[in-house]
Coordinates of all heavy atoms in Angstrom, one line a residue:
M18 N -87.2 -21.9 -7.1 CA -88.0 -22.8 -7.8 C -87.4 -23.1 -9.1 O -86.9 -22.2 -9.8 CB -89.4 -22.2 -8.1 CG -90.3 -23.0 -8.9 SD -92.0 -22.4 -9.2 CE -92.3 -21.2 -8.0
G19 N -87.3 -24.3 -9.5 CA -86.7 -24.7 -10.7 C -87.7 -25.0 -11.8 O -88.9 -25.2 -11.5
E20 N -87.2 -25.1 -13.0 CA -88.2 -25.5 -14.1 C -87.4 -26.2 -15.1 O -86.2 -25.9 -15.5 CB -88.7 -24.2 -14.7 CG -89.7 -24.6 -15.9 CD -90.4 -23.3 -16.4 OE1 -90.8 -22.5 -15.6 OE2 -90.6 -23.3 -17.7
I21 N -87.9 -27.4 -15.5 CA -87.3 -28.2 -16.6 C -88.3 -28.6 -17.6 O -89.5 -28.5 -17.3 CB -86.6 -29.5 -16.0 CG1 -87.7 -30.4 -15.4 CG2 -85.5 -29.2 -15.1 CD1 -87.2 -31.8 -15.1
S22 N -87.9 -29.0 -18.7 CA -88.7 -29.5 -19.8 C -88.3 -31.0 -20.0 O -87.1 -31.3 -20.1 CB -88.6 -28.8 -21.1 OG -89.0 -27.5 -20.9
V23 N -89.3 -31.9 -20.0 CA -89.0 -33.3 -20.3 C -90.0 -33.8 -21.3 O -91.2 -33.3 -21.4 CB -89.1 -34.2 -19.0 CG1 -88.1 -33.8 -18.0 CG2 -90.5 -34.1 -18.4
S24 N -89.6 -34.7 -22.1 CA -90.5 -35.3 -23.1 C -91.5 -36.2 -22.3 O -91.2 -36.6 -21.2 CB -89.7 -36.1 -24.1 OG -89.2 -37.3 -23.5
S25 N -92.6 -36.4 -23.0 CA -93.6 -37.2 -22.3 C -93.1 -38.6 -22.1 O -93.5 -39.3 -21.1 CB -94.9 -37.2 -23.1 OG -94.7 -37.7 -24.4
T26 N -92.2 -39.1 -22.9 CA -91.7 -40.5 -22.7 C -90.7 -40.5 -21.5 O -90.5 -41.6 -21.0 CB -91.0 -41.0 -24.0 OG1 -89.9 -40.0 -24.3 CG2 -91.9 -41.1 -25.1
A27 N -90.1 -39.4 -21.1 CA -89.2 -39.3 -20.0 C -89.8 -39.0 -18.7 O -89.2 -39.0 -17.6 CB -88.0 -38.4 -20.4
L28 N -91.1 -38.6 -18.7 CA -91.7 -38.2 -17.5 C -91.7 -39.2 -16.4 O -91.4 -38.9 -15.2 CB -93.2 -37.8 -17.8 CG -93.9 -37.1 -16.6 CD1 -93.3 -35.8 -16.2 CD2 -95.4 -36.8 -17.1
G29 N -91.8 -40.5 -16.7 CA -91.7 -41.5 -15.7 C -90.4 -41.6 -15.0 O -90.3 -42.1 -13.9
R30 N -89.3 -41.1 -15.6 CA -88.0 -41.0 -15.0 C -88.0 -40.0 -13.8 O -87.2 -40.2 -12.9 CB -87.0 -40.7 -16.0 CG -86.8 -41.7 -17.1 CD -85.7 -41.3 -18.0 NE -85.8 -42.0 -19.3 CZ -85.6 -41.6 -20.4 NH1 -85.2 -40.4 -20.6 NH2 -85.7 -42.4 -21.5
L31 N -88.8 -39.1 -13.9 CA -88.9 -38.0 -12.9 C -89.8 -38.4 -11.7 O -89.5 -38.2 -10.6 CB -89.3 -36.7 -13.5 CG -89.4 -35.5 -12.6 CD1 -88.0 -35.2 -12.1 CD2 -90.0 -34.4 -13.3
L32 N -90.9 -39.0 -12.0 CA -91.9 -39.3 -11.1 C -91.8 -40.8 -10.6 O -91.3 -41.6 -11.4 CB -93.3 -39.0 -11.6 CG -93.5 -37.6 -12.1 CD1 -94.9 -37.5 -12.8 CD2 -93.4 -36.6 -10.9
T33 N -92.4 -41.1 -9.5 CA -92.4 -42.5 -9.0 C -93.4 -43.3 -9.9 O -94.5 -42.9 -10.2 CB -93.0 -42.5 -7.6 OG1 -92.1 -41.7 -6.8 CG2 -93.0 -43.9 -7.0
D34 N -92.9 -44.5 -10.3 CA -93.7 -45.4 -11.1 C -94.6 -46.1 -10.1 O -94.2 -46.9 -9.4 CB -92.7 -46.3 -11.8 CG -93.4 -47.3 -12.7 OD1 -94.7 -47.4 -12.7 OD2 -92.7 -48.1 -13.4
S35 N -95.9 -45.9 -10.3 CA -96.9 -46.5 -9.4 C -97.0 -48.0 -9.6 O -97.6 -48.7 -8.8 CB -98.2 -45.8 -9.6 OG -98.7 -46.0 -10.9
T36 N -96.5 -48.5 -10.7 CA -96.7 -49.9 -11.0 C -95.6 -50.7 -10.2 O -95.7 -51.9 -10.1 CB -96.6 -50.3 -12.5 OG1 -95.2 -50.0 -12.9 CG2 -97.6 -49.5 -13.3
G37 N -94.6 -50.0 -9.8 CA -93.5 -50.7 -9.1 C -92.5 -51.3 -10.0 O -91.4 -51.8 -9.6
A38 N -92.7 -51.3 -11.3 CA -91.8 -51.9 -12.3 C -91.0 -50.8 -12.8 O -91.4 -50.0 -13.6 CB -92.6 -52.7 -13.3
R39 N -89.7 -50.7 -12.4 CA -88.8 -49.7 -13.0 C -87.4 -50.2 -13.0 O -87.0 -50.9 -12.1 CB -89.0 -48.4 -12.2 CG -88.6 -48.5 -10.7 CD -88.9 -47.2 -10.0 NE -88.5 -47.3 -8.6 CZ -89.3 -47.5 -7.5 NH1 -90.5 -47.5 -7.7 NH2 -88.8 -47.5 -6.4
A40 N -86.7 -49.8 -14.0 CA -85.3 -50.2 -14.1 C -84.4 -49.3 -13.2 O -83.4 -49.7 -12.7 CB -84.9 -50.1 -15.6
R41 N -84.8 -48.0 -13.1 CA -83.9 -47.1 -12.4 C -84.8 -46.4 -11.3 O -86.0 -46.4 -11.3 CB -83.5 -46.0 -13.3 CG -82.6 -46.5 -14.4 CD -82.2 -45.4 -15.4 NE -81.7 -45.9 -16.6 CZ -80.4 -46.3 -16.7 NH1 -79.6 -46.2 -15.7 NH2 -79.9 -46.7 -17.9
R42 N -84.1 -45.9 -10.3 CA -84.8 -45.2 -9.2 C -85.3 -43.9 -9.7 O -84.6 -43.0 -10.2 CB -83.7 -45.0 -8.1 CG -84.3 -44.4 -6.8 CD -83.2 -44.4 -5.8 NE -83.7 -43.9 -4.6 CZ -83.0 -43.5 -3.6 NH1 -81.7 -43.4 -3.7 NH2 -83.5 -43.1 -2.5
P43 N -86.6 -43.6 -9.3 CA -87.1 -42.2 -9.7 C -86.4 -41.1 -9.1 O -86.0 -41.2 -7.9 CB -88.6 -42.3 -9.3 CG -88.9 -43.7 -9.1 CD -87.5 -44.4 -8.7
Y44 N -86.2 -40.0 -9.8 CA -85.5 -38.9 -9.2 C -86.2 -38.3 -8.0 O -85.6 -37.9 -7.0 CB -85.3 -37.8 -10.3 CG -84.5 -36.7 -9.8 CD1 -83.1 -36.8 -9.7 CD2 -85.0 -35.4 -9.4 CE1 -82.3 -35.8 -9.2 CE2 -84.2 -34.4 -9.0 CZ -82.9 -34.6 -8.9 OH -82.0 -33.6 -8.4
Q45 N -87.5 -38.3 -8.0 CA -88.3 -37.7 -6.9 C -88.0 -38.5 -5.7 O -87.8 -37.8 -4.5 CB -89.8 -37.8 -7.2 CG -90.7 -37.3 -6.2 CD -92.2 -37.4 -6.5 OE1 -92.5 -38.0 -7.5 NE2 -93.0 -36.9 -5.7
E46 N -87.8 -39.8 -5.7 CA -87.5 -40.6 -4.5 C -86.1 -40.3 -4.0 O -85.9 -40.1 -2.9 CB -87.7 -42.0 -4.9 CG -87.4 -43.0 -3.8 CD -87.6 -44.4 -4.3 OE1 -88.6 -44.8 -4.9 OE2 -86.6 -45.2 -4.1
A47 N -85.2 -40.2 -5.0 CA -83.7 -39.9 -4.6 C -83.7 -38.5 -4.0 O -83.0 -38.3 -3.0 CB -82.9 -40.0 -5.8
F48 N -84.4 -37.5 -4.6 CA -84.3 -36.1 -4.1 C -84.8 -36.1 -2.6 O -84.2 -35.5 -1.8 CB -85.1 -35.2 -4.9 CG -85.0 -33.8 -4.5 CD1 -84.0 -32.9 -4.9 CD2 -85.9 -33.3 -3.6 CE1 -84.0 -31.6 -4.4 CE2 -85.9 -32.0 -3.1 CZ -84.9 -31.1 -3.5
A49 N -85.9 -36.8 -2.4 CA -86.6 -36.8 -1.0 C -85.6 -37.4 0.0 O -85.5 -36.9 1.1 CB -87.9 -37.5 -1.1
E50 N -84.9 -38.5 -0.4 CA -84.0 -39.1 0.5 C -82.8 -38.2 0.8 O -82.4 -38.0 2.0 CB -83.5 -40.4 -0.1 CG -82.6 -41.2 0.9 CD -82.2 -42.5 0.4 OE1 -83.1 -43.3 0.1 OE2 -81.0 -42.7 0.3
L51 N -82.3 -37.5 -0.2 CA -81.2 -36.6 0.0 C -81.6 -35.4 0.9 O -80.8 -35.0 1.7 CB -80.7 -36.1 -1.4 CG -79.9 -37.1 -2.2 CD1 -79.6 -36.6 -3.6 CD2 -78.6 -37.6 -1.5
A52 N -82.8 -34.9 0.6 CA -83.3 -33.8 1.4 C -83.3 -34.2 2.9 O -83.1 -33.4 3.8 CB -84.6 -33.4 0.9
D53 N -83.8 -35.4 3.2 CA -83.9 -35.8 4.6 C -82.5 -36.0 5.2 O -82.3 -35.7 6.4 CB -84.7 -37.2 4.7 CG -86.1 -37.0 4.4 OD1 -86.6 -35.9 4.5 OD2 -86.8 -38.1 4.2
T54 N -81.6 -36.6 4.4 CA -80.3 -36.9 5.0 C -79.3 -35.8 5.0 O -78.4 -35.7 5.9 CB -79.7 -38.1 4.1 OG1 -80.7 -39.2 4.0 CG2 -78.4 -38.6 4.7
Y55 N -79.3 -34.9 4.0 CA -78.3 -33.9 3.9 C -78.6 -32.5 4.2 O -77.9 -31.5 4.0 CB -77.7 -34.0 2.4 CG -76.8 -35.2 2.2 CD1 -77.4 -36.4 1.9 CD2 -75.5 -35.1 2.5 CE1 -76.6 -37.5 1.7 CE2 -74.7 -36.3 2.3 CZ -75.3 -37.4 1.9 OH -74.5 -38.5 1.8
R56 N -79.7 -32.3 4.9 CA -80.2 -31.0 5.4 C -79.1 -30.4 6.2 O -78.6 -31.1 7.1 CB -81.5 -31.0 6.1 CG -82.0 -29.7 6.6 CD -83.2 -29.9 7.3 NE -83.9 -28.6 7.5 CZ -85.0 -28.4 8.0 NH1 -85.8 -29.5 8.4 NH2 -85.6 -27.2 8.2
G57 N -78.7 -29.2 5.9 CA -77.6 -28.5 6.7 C -76.2 -28.8 6.2 O -75.3 -28.1 6.7
K58 N -76.0 -29.7 5.3 CA -74.7 -30.0 4.8 C -74.3 -29.0 3.7 O -75.2 -28.4 3.1 CB -74.7 -31.4 4.2 CG -75.1 -32.5 5.1 CD -74.0 -32.8 6.1 CE -74.4 -34.0 7.0 NZ -73.4 -34.3 8.0
P59 N -73.0 -28.8 3.4 CA -72.6 -27.9 2.4 C -73.0 -28.3 1.0 O -73.1 -29.5 0.7 CB -71.0 -27.9 2.5 CG -70.7 -28.8 3.7 CD -71.9 -29.5 4.1
V60 N -73.3 -27.3 0.2 CA -73.8 -27.5 -1.2 C -72.8 -28.4 -1.9 O -73.2 -29.3 -2.7 CB -74.0 -26.1 -1.9 CG1 -74.2 -26.3 -3.4 CG2 -75.3 -25.5 -1.3
P61 N -71.4 -28.1 -1.8 CA -70.5 -28.9 -2.6 C -70.6 -30.4 -2.2 O -70.2 -31.3 -3.1 CB -69.1 -28.4 -2.2 CG -69.4 -27.0 -1.8 CD -70.7 -27.0 -1.2
E62 N -71.1 -30.7 -1.1 CA -71.2 -32.2 -0.7 C -72.5 -32.8 -1.3 O -72.5 -33.9 -1.6 CB -71.3 -32.2 0.8 CG -71.3 -33.6 1.4 CD -71.3 -33.6 2.9 OE1 -70.7 -32.7 3.6 OE2 -71.8 -34.6 3.5
I63 N -73.5 -31.9 -1.5 CA -74.8 -32.4 -2.0 C -74.8 -32.5 -3.5 O -75.4 -33.4 -4.1 CB -75.9 -31.5 -1.5 CG1 -76.0 -31.4 0.0 CG2 -77.3 -31.9 -2.1 CD1 -76.8 -30.3 0.6
L64 N -74.1 -31.6 -4.2 CA -74.2 -31.5 -5.7 C -73.8 -32.8 -6.3 O -74.5 -33.2 -7.2 CB -73.2 -30.4 -6.2 CG -73.8 -29.0 -6.2 CD1 -72.8 -28.0 -6.5 CD2 -74.9 -29.0 -7.2
P65 N -72.7 -33.5 -6.0 CA -72.4 -34.7 -6.8 C -73.4 -35.8 -6.6 O -73.7 -36.6 -7.4 CB -71.0 -35.1 -6.2 CG -70.8 -34.4 -5.1 CD -71.7 -33.1 -5.1
L66 N -74.1 -35.8 -5.4 CA -75.1 -36.8 -5.1 C -76.4 -36.5 -6.0 O -77.0 -37.4 -6.5 CB -75.5 -36.8 -3.6 CG -74.3 -37.1 -2.7 CD1 -74.7 -36.8 -1.3 CD2 -73.8 -38.4 -2.9
L67 N -76.7 -35.2 -6.1 CA -77.9 -34.9 -7.0 C -77.5 -35.2 -8.4 O -78.4 -35.7 -9.2 CB -78.2 -33.4 -6.8 CG -78.9 -33.0 -5.6 CD1 -79.0 -31.5 -5.5 CD2 -80.3 -33.6 -5.5
R68 N -76.3 -34.9 -8.9 CA -75.9 -35.2 -10.2 C -76.0 -36.7 -10.5 O -76.5 -37.1 -11.6 CB -74.4 -34.7 -10.5 CG -73.8 -35.1 -11.8 CD -74.6 -34.7 -13.0 NE -74.7 -33.3 -13.2 CZ -75.6 -32.7 -14.0 NH1 -76.6 -33.4 -14.6 NH2 -75.7 -31.4 -14.1
R69 N -75.5 -37.5 -9.6 CA -75.6 -38.9 -9.8 C -77.0 -39.4 -9.9 O -77.4 -40.2 -10.8 CB -74.9 -39.6 -8.7 CG -74.9 -41.2 -8.9 CD -74.1 -42.0 -7.8 NE -73.0 -41.2 -7.3 CZ -72.7 -41.1 -6.0 NH1 -73.4 -41.7 -5.1 NH2 -71.7 -40.5 -5.6
A70 N -77.9 -38.9 -9.0 CA -79.3 -39.2 -9.1 C -79.9 -38.8 -10.4 O -80.7 -39.6 -11.0 CB -80.0 -38.6 -7.9
A71 N -79.6 -37.6 -10.9 CA -80.2 -37.1 -12.1 C -79.7 -37.9 -13.3 O -80.4 -38.3 -14.2 CB -79.8 -35.6 -12.3
D72 N -78.4 -38.3 -13.3 CA -77.8 -39.1 -14.3 C -78.5 -40.5 -14.4 O -78.7 -41.0 -15.4 CB -76.3 -39.2 -14.2 CG -75.6 -37.9 -14.5 OD1 -76.2 -37.0 -15.1 OD2 -74.4 -37.8 -14.2
E73 N -78.6 -41.1 -13.2 CA -79.2 -42.4 -13.1 C -80.7 -42.4 -13.6 O -81.2 -43.3 -14.2 CB -79.2 -42.9 -11.7 CG -77.8 -43.4 -11.3 CD -77.7 -43.8 -9.8 OE1 -78.7 -43.8 -9.1 OE2 -76.6 -44.1 -9.4
A74 N -81.4 -41.3 -13.4 CA -82.8 -41.1 -13.8 C -82.8 -40.6 -15.3 O -83.9 -40.4 -15.8 CB -83.5 -40.2 -12.9
L75 N -81.7 -40.4 -15.8 CA -81.6 -40.0 -17.3 C -82.2 -38.6 -17.5 O -82.8 -38.3 -18.5 CB -82.1 -41.0 -18.2 CG -81.6 -42.4 -18.2 CD1 -82.3 -43.4 -19.1 CD2 -80.1 -42.4 -18.5
L76 N -82.1 -37.7 -16.5 CA -82.6 -36.4 -16.5 C -81.5 -35.4 -16.8 O -80.4 -35.5 -16.1 CB -83.3 -36.0 -15.2 CG -84.6 -36.8 -15.0 CD1 -85.1 -36.6 -13.6 CD2 -85.7 -36.5 -16.0
G77 N -81.7 -34.5 -17.6 CA -80.7 -33.5 -18.0 C -80.7 -32.2 -17.3 O -80.8 -31.2 -17.9
F78 N -80.6 -32.3 -16.0 CA -80.6 -31.0 -15.2 C -79.3 -30.2 -15.5 O -78.2 -30.8 -15.6 CB -80.7 -31.3 -13.7 CG -82.0 -31.7 -13.2 CD1 -82.2 -33.0 -12.6 CD2 -83.1 -30.9 -13.3 CE1 -83.4 -33.3 -12.1 CE2 -84.4 -31.3 -12.8 CZ -84.5 -32.5 -12.2
T79 N -79.4 -28.9 -15.6 CA -78.2 -28.1 -15.7 C -77.5 -28.0 -14.4 O -78.1 -28.3 -13.3 CB -78.6 -26.7 -16.2 OG1 -79.4 -26.0 -15.2 CG2 -79.4 -26.7 -17.5
D80 N -76.3 -27.5 -14.4 CA -75.6 -27.3 -13.1 C -76.3 -26.3 -12.3 O -76.3 -26.5 -11.1 CB -74.1 -26.9 -13.4 CG -73.3 -28.0 -14.0 OD1 -73.6 -29.2 -13.8 OD2 -72.2 -27.7 -14.7
A81 N -76.9 -25.3 -12.9 CA -77.6 -24.3 -12.1 C -78.8 -24.9 -11.5 O -79.2 -24.5 -10.3 CB -78.0 -23.1 -13.0
D82 N -79.5 -25.8 -12.2 CA -80.7 -26.4 -11.6 C -80.3 -27.2 -10.4 O -80.9 -27.2 -9.3 CB -81.3 -27.4 -12.6 CG -82.0 -26.8 -13.8 OD1 -82.5 -25.6 -13.6 OD2 -82.1 -27.4 -14.8
L83 N -79.2 -28.0 -10.5 CA -78.8 -28.8 -9.4 C -78.3 -28.0 -8.2 O -78.5 -28.3 -7.1 CB -77.7 -29.8 -9.8 CG -78.2 -30.9 -10.8 CD1 -77.1 -31.7 -11.3 CD2 -79.3 -31.8 -10.2
R84 N -77.6 -26.9 -8.5 CA -77.1 -26.0 -7.5 C -78.3 -25.4 -6.7 O -78.3 -25.3 -5.4 CB -76.3 -24.9 -8.0 CG -75.7 -24.0 -6.9 CD -74.6 -23.1 -7.5 NE -73.4 -23.9 -7.8 CZ -72.5 -24.3 -6.9 NH1 -72.7 -24.1 -5.6 NH2 -71.4 -25.0 -7.3
E85 N -79.3 -25.1 -7.4 CA -80.6 -24.5 -6.7 C -81.2 -25.6 -5.9 O -81.7 -25.3 -4.7 CB -81.5 -24.1 -7.8 CG -82.7 -23.3 -7.3 CD -83.6 -22.8 -8.4 OE1 -83.2 -21.9 -9.1 OE2 -84.7 -23.3 -8.6
Q86 N -81.2 -26.8 -6.3 CA -81.8 -27.9 -5.5 C -80.9 -28.2 -4.3 O -81.5 -28.4 -3.2 CB -81.9 -29.2 -6.4 CG -83.0 -29.0 -7.5 CD -83.0 -30.2 -8.4 OE1 -82.8 -31.3 -8.0 NE2 -83.2 -30.0 -9.7
A87 N -79.6 -28.2 -4.5 CA -78.7 -28.4 -3.4 C -78.8 -27.3 -2.3 O -78.8 -27.6 -1.1 CB -77.3 -28.5 -3.9
E88 N -79.0 -26.1 -2.8 CA -79.2 -25.0 -1.8 C -80.5 -25.2 -1.0 O -80.5 -24.9 0.2 CB -79.2 -23.7 -2.5 CG -79.4 -22.5 -1.6 CD -78.3 -22.4 -0.5 OE1 -77.1 -22.7 -0.8 OE2 -78.7 -22.0 0.6
A89 N -81.5 -25.7 -1.7 CA -82.8 -25.9 -1.0 C -82.6 -27.0 0.1 O -83.1 -26.9 1.2 CB -83.9 -26.3 -2.0
I90 N -81.9 -28.1 -0.3 CA -81.6 -29.2 0.6 C -80.8 -28.6 1.8 O -81.1 -28.9 3.0 CB -80.9 -30.3 -0.1 CG1 -81.9 -31.0 -1.0 CG2 -80.4 -31.3 1.0 CD1 -81.3 -32.1 -1.9
R91 N -79.8 -27.9 1.5 CA -78.9 -27.3 2.6 C -79.7 -26.5 3.6 O -79.6 -26.7 4.8 CB -77.8 -26.5 2.0 CG -76.8 -26.0 3.1 CD -76.0 -24.8 2.6 NE -76.8 -23.6 2.4 CZ -77.4 -22.9 3.3 NH1 -77.2 -23.1 4.5 NH2 -78.1 -21.8 3.0
S92 N -80.5 -25.6 3.1 CA -81.2 -24.7 3.9 C -82.5 -25.3 4.5 O -83.1 -24.7 5.5 CB -81.6 -23.4 3.1 OG -82.5 -23.7 2.1
G93 N -83.0 -26.4 4.0 CA -84.3 -27.0 4.4 C -85.4 -26.3 3.9 O -86.6 -26.5 4.3
A94 N -85.2 -25.4 2.9 CA -86.3 -24.7 2.2 C -87.1 -25.7 1.3 O -86.6 -26.7 0.8 CB -85.8 -23.6 1.4
R95 N -88.4 -25.4 1.2 CA -89.2 -26.2 0.3 C -88.8 -25.9 -1.2 O -88.5 -24.7 -1.5 CB -90.6 -25.8 0.5 CG -91.6 -26.6 -0.4 CD -93.0 -26.3 0.0 NE -93.9 -27.1 -0.8 CZ -94.9 -26.5 -1.5 NH1 -95.2 -25.3 -1.4 NH2 -95.6 -27.3 -2.3
Y96 N -88.6 -27.0 -1.9 CA -88.2 -26.8 -3.3 C -89.3 -27.2 -4.2 O -89.8 -28.3 -4.1 CB -86.9 -27.6 -3.6 CG -86.4 -27.4 -5.0 CD1 -85.7 -26.3 -5.3 CD2 -86.7 -28.3 -6.1 CE1 -85.2 -26.1 -6.6 CE2 -86.3 -28.1 -7.3 CZ -85.6 -26.9 -7.6 OH -85.1 -26.7 -8.9
V97 N -89.7 -26.3 -5.1 CA -90.8 -26.6 -6.1 C -90.2 -26.7 -7.4 O -89.5 -25.8 -7.9 CB -91.9 -25.6 -6.0 CG1 -92.9 -25.8 -7.1 CG2 -92.5 -25.5 -4.7
L98 N -90.4 -27.8 -8.1 CA -89.9 -28.0 -9.5 C -91.0 -28.0 -10.4 O -92.0 -28.8 -10.3 CB -89.1 -29.3 -9.6 CG -88.6 -29.7 -10.9 CD1 -87.5 -28.7 -11.4 CD2 -88.0 -31.1 -10.9
R99 N -91.0 -27.1 -11.4 CA -92.0 -27.0 -12.4 C -91.6 -27.8 -13.6 O -90.4 -27.7 -14.0 CB -92.3 -25.6 -12.9 CG -92.9 -24.7 -11.9 CD -93.2 -23.4 -12.4 NE -93.9 -22.6 -11.4 CZ -94.3 -21.4 -11.6 NH1 -94.1 -20.8 -12.8 NH2 -94.8 -20.7 -10.6
V100 N -92.4 -28.7 -14.0 CA -92.0 -29.7 -15.1 C -92.9 -29.3 -16.3 O -94.2 -29.4 -16.2 CB -92.2 -31.1 -14.7 CG1 -91.9 -32.0 -15.8 CG2 -91.4 -31.5 -13.5
R101 N -92.3 -29.0 -17.4 CA -93.0 -28.8 -18.6 C -92.9 -30.0 -19.5 O -91.8 -30.4 -19.9 CB -92.5 -27.6 -19.3 CG -93.2 -27.2 -20.6 CD -92.7 -26.0 -21.3 NE -92.7 -24.9 -20.3 CZ -91.8 -23.9 -20.4 NH1 -90.9 -23.8 -21.2 NH2 -91.9 -23.0 -19.4
V102 N -94.0 -30.7 -19.8 CA -93.9 -31.9 -20.6 C -94.1 -31.5 -22.1 O -95.0 -30.8 -22.4 CB -95.1 -32.9 -20.2 CG1 -95.0 -34.1 -21.1 CG2 -95.0 -33.3 -18.8
T103 N -93.1 -32.0 -22.8 CA -93.1 -31.6 -24.3 C -93.3 -32.8 -25.1 O -93.3 -33.9 -24.7 CB -91.7 -31.1 -24.7 OG1 -90.7 -32.0 -24.3 CG2 -91.4 -29.7 -24.0

């Protein structure tokens, strides 16, 4: 399980924008697609894709956060991300 802190102004970058008006793809959407597509693939193959998605969503995940997420995708395990809004 991962945990990140995001400012209240950046929360929309993590979650899907229900209004449909967004400049960038929400990370939650990108993660779900990667999880569906890359299950069983090696972590080194998944990591750069997660990094790109996080960068595009302007989220500052650490390498350890992304490695944990990539491992969850690889193994098919459920991944829970705790978000602390600051």
